[in-house]
Amino acid sequence: MGEVQVLPRRQTLADKTYDELNSRIMQSVLPPGAKLSIDGLARQMAISQTPLREALARLEAEGLVERRPLSGYTVTALLTTEEFNDLFDLRLLMEPLAASRAAGRVGQAHMTGDGKALRALARTPEYHSDAKLSQLAFTQADAKFHASVAQHSGSGVLAKAIRRLDAHLHLHRAYLTPESISETEAEHLAVAEAIIAQQPLAAEAAMRRHLELSRVRHAAAFTADEQADAKKQAKK
């Protein structure tokens, strides 16, 4: 028998709508706290409300938008200082565990193909002169890497929880520098190599170190976000 060809999944209108809204949120075209009018977005994007509602439901499940009774959807607000610290505390509990499980669960033979994919995901995009495009590309690459590690852990519950936590952090990635990209890439590669080499303790330690350093980098961006938000509030 010949090999069965696996065709790529056809992207639906709801998928395209999700990608467009996700991009607008990540680039702050739709800023944190912005109200989303379903009628207005449908007219603006020249689509019916059905795929738009499907896309918004998906964004809600990922924590990027919120829906309140009688008031519709809004883009999720920026985290408070307490929420920011809680988020990283939770990530430090879950993601080193996911990396350790991934390294202990996956055999070297099985990782031949997956190992190359994991290394590829660990590499971050080059810094672009357009800061918003760089932010979006970095956000997507970073999310894919962490989601892949979580998936290799073998725990669907753990993977889902990590994806949802990561979505909240995306809203704080507006202050991206070339240095942070290269640092993140080196840390991701250390995690990937430990998983591929089937070294659970090393994978756990590498992920913990990455998150601790990431926390410092994001804290600077988070402080800048808070200061910018305070200035906006003061002008009102």
Side-chain angles (χ1 to χ4, degrees):
M1 294 180 64
E3 292 185 2
V4 178
Q5 184 179 9
V6 179
L7 297 175
R9 183 176 67 87
R10 185 177 180 181
Q11 192 176 42
T12 66
L13 183 55
D15 291 331
K16 293 178 181 177
T17 304
Y18 164 84
D19 289 342
E20 175 62 23
L21 291 176
N22 184 284
S23 175
R24 292 186 186 189
I25 291 171
M26 293 306 171
Q27 296 184 69
S28 295
V29 175
L30 294 172
K35 292 184 178 181
L36 304 177
S37 165
I38 291 179
D39 289 339
L41 285 171
R43 287 195 300 270
Q44 186 184 93
M45 301 175 74
I47 58 174
S48 69
Q49 291 190 9
T50 299
L52 181 57
R53 289 182 184 279
E54 289 180 24
L56 286 169
R58 183 174 167 188
L59 289 166
E60 182 186 13
E62 294 179 356
L64 290 175
V65 302
E66 296 176 344
R67 181 165 57 95
R68 294 185 176 89
L70 304 178
S71 61
Y73 288 94
T74 60
V75 178
T76 302
L78 293 176
L79 298 172
T80 64
T81 301
E82 184 178 359
E83 289 170 339
F84 175 82
N85 288 324
D86 284 346
L87 182 146
F88 265 98
D89 286 344
L90 287 171
R91 290 188 75 187
L92 282 162
L93 287 173
M94 292 191 293
E95 296 201 53
L97 173 63
S100 175
R101 286 190 178 185
R105 172 178 174 268
V106 183
Q108 188 71 44
H110 181 70
M111 282 300 289
T112 301
D114 286 350
K116 292 180 180 179
L118 195 59
R119 284 193 187 99
L121 288 173
R123 300 190 182 281
T124 54
E126 292 184 4
Y127 190 78
H128 195 278
S129 57
D130 186 324
K132 287 192 174 182
L133 288 179
S134 285
Q135 177 195 355
L136 179 61
F138 176 73
T139 293
Q140 292 173 336
D142 189 61
K144 287 179 181 178
F145 176 76
H146 284 271
S148 179
V149 172
Q151 182 181 358
H152 282 304
S153 75
S155 170
V157 172
L158 194 56
K160 184 177 180 180
I162 288 171
R163 284 198 304 271
R164 188 171 179 85
L165 283 176
D166 199 52
H168 288 285
L169 192 60
H170 293 340
L171 300 173
H172 292 273
R173 289 190 170 117
Y175 300 87
L176 186 64
T177 65
E179 292 78 14
S180 67
I181 290 179
S182 60
E183 289 168 0
T184 298
E185 181 176 287
E187 293 157 21
H188 280 182
L189 283 170
V191 174
E193 294 302 337
I195 291 174
I196 294 166
Q198 296 178 264
Q199 297 176 341
L201 291 178
E204 179 180 349
M207 180 62 84
R208 185 174 301 281
R209 179 176 182 275
H210 166 53
L211 291 174
E212 288 170 346
L213 293 172
S214 180
R215 184 175 199 158
V216 174
R217 288 191 292 266
H218 284 297
F222 179 75
T223 301
D225 281 336
E226 281 194 323
Q227 291 173 347
D229 189 54
K231 288 181 181 179
K232 288 180 183 178
Q233 294 297 325
K235 291 179 180 179
K236 291 182 179 180

